[in-house]
Amino acid sequence: MTVREIFEGMPWWVKWVAVPVIALVVFGGLIASIVGFVVYLLFKILVFAALVGGVIYLVRKFMTGSSSSRGGDW
């Protein structure tokens, strides 16, 4: 007897409501921790990209500013 044969005789709400609810109750903590870790990792990547972008912006700003001021137009 396969799982498909077991579910064939069941009402629709068992397949589409009861089983997912039971899965969420049993694995809910694991799912929440995985989703939380992914969100945490994406946030860290976003912060890293913003900081690197800010450093690149500042370096370019000061490099162009110092190269134009080398002519002695202080």
Side-chain angles (χ1 to χ4, degrees), residues 21-33:
V21 167
I22 293 170
L24 281 176
V25 168
V26 172
F27 298 109
L30 177 65
I31 293 169
S33 64

Side-chain angles (χ1 to χ4, degrees), residues 29-50:
L30 177 65
I31 293 169
S33 64
I34 291 172
V35 169
F37 176 73
V38 169
V39 169
Y40 171 78
L41 193 63
L42 288 174
F43 178 74
K44 290 292 184 178
I45 290 171
L46 182 67
V47 168
F48 175 76

